[in-house]
């Protein structure tokens, strides 16, 4: 994939319903992945990946306040794991991703992934499934849950 200015923002290969993506330094993972899903018409599936970042925002869902608590980090991390699923929200692809990060002291942090800018590379596998799963707002949790 290249931008309208000719800048490469992702490389990928496909085998059946499995995609192997390499997102280069400087690209934001969630945004790039969502654009890829739109362009490849992937409506449902799952995601697994590794890589590195030095600019990341993660969070957790506060069930009593019904809101996400976010924290931004601007330090080097190994992305030990990105896992999640692909569904649809209001007719557009939506990624629900969680991440585990390892720092220079070999400590691990993790949570819901809001954004992560690649510092070296991100290597991600996407497995597309032949389903259309739309998320709908749930009053009890305050979240858009999979409508299965």
């Amino acid at each position: 994939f290249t931008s309208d200015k000719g800048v490469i923002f992702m490389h990928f290969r496909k085998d059946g319903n499995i995609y192997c993506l390499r997102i280069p330094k400087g690209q934001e993972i969630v945004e790039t992945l969502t654009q890829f899903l739109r362009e490849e018409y992937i409506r449902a599936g799952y995601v697994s990946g590794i890589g590195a970042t030095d600019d990341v925002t993660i969070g957790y869902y506060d069930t009593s306040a019904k809101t996400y608590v976010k924290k931004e980090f601007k330090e080097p991390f190994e992305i030990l794991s990105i896992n999640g699923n692909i569904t649809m929200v209001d007719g557009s692809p939506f990624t629900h991703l969680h991440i585990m990060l390892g720092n220079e002291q070999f400590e691990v942090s993790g949570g819901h992934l809001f954004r992560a800018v690649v510092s070296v590379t991100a290597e991600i596998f996407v497995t597309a499934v032949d389903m259309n799963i739309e998320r709908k707002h749930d009053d009890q949790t305050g979240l858009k849950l999979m409508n299965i």
Side-chain angles (χ1 to χ4, degrees), residues 77-138:
F77 286 104
E78 286 286 329
I79 298 173
L80 305 175
S81 177
I82 294 174
N83 287 295
N85 58 51
I86 303 158
T87 55
M88 301 294 287
V89 171
D90 301 324
S92 295
F94 174 80
T95 57
H96 182 180
L97 303 173
H98 288 192
I99 191 167
M100 290 186 60
L101 303 162
N103 68 16
E104 294 173 327
Q105 292 77 40
F106 299 97
E107 299 165 330
V108 177
S109 299
H112 180 91
L113 177 61
F114 288 96
R115 63 179 292 283
V117 177
V118 177
S119 63
V120 179
T121 189
E123 301 168 341
I124 298 175
F125 279 85
V126 172
T127 302
V129 296
D130 188 19
M131 291 184 199
N132 183 17
I133 301 172
E134 188 79 26
R135 289 182 174 269
K136 293 197 177 188
H137 180 79
D138 176 70

Side-chain angles (χ1 to χ4, degrees), residues 37-78:
L37 297 172
R38 255 189 248 109
E39 293 188 22
E40 290 295 307
Y41 304 105
I42 298 171
R43 303 178 64 80
Y46 50 97
V47 177
S48 177
I50 58 173
T53 185
D54 57 9
D55 181 1
V56 61
T57 303
I58 62 175
Y60 71 91
Y61 192 70
D62 181 331
T63 55
S64 47
K66 294 186 179 179
T67 188
Y68 278 97
V69 177
K70 297 179 183 178
K71 185 166 184 181
E72 185 176 332
F73 296 90
K74 300 250 186 195
E75 60 186 274
F77 286 104
E78 286 286 329

Side-chain angles (χ1 to χ4, degrees), residues 7-62:
V7 177
I8 296 174
F9 65 90
M10 188 187 65
H11 303 272
F12 81 95
R13 293 175 97 178
K14 178 183 179 188
D15 181 16
N17 66 330
I18 300 172
Y19 298 79
C20 178
L21 289 63
R22 181 169 55 85
I23 302 174
K25 180 178 181 172
Q27 298 301 310
E28 199 286 308
I29 293 172
V30 178
E31 177 183 297
T32 302
L33 183 57
T34 302
Q35 182 176 347
F36 169 78
L37 297 172
R38 255 189 248 109
E39 293 188 22
E40 290 295 307
Y41 304 105
I42 298 171
R43 303 178 64 80
Y46 50 97
V47 177
S48 177
I50 58 173
T53 185
D54 57 9
D55 181 1
V56 61
T57 303
I58 62 175
Y60 71 91
Y61 192 70
D62 181 331

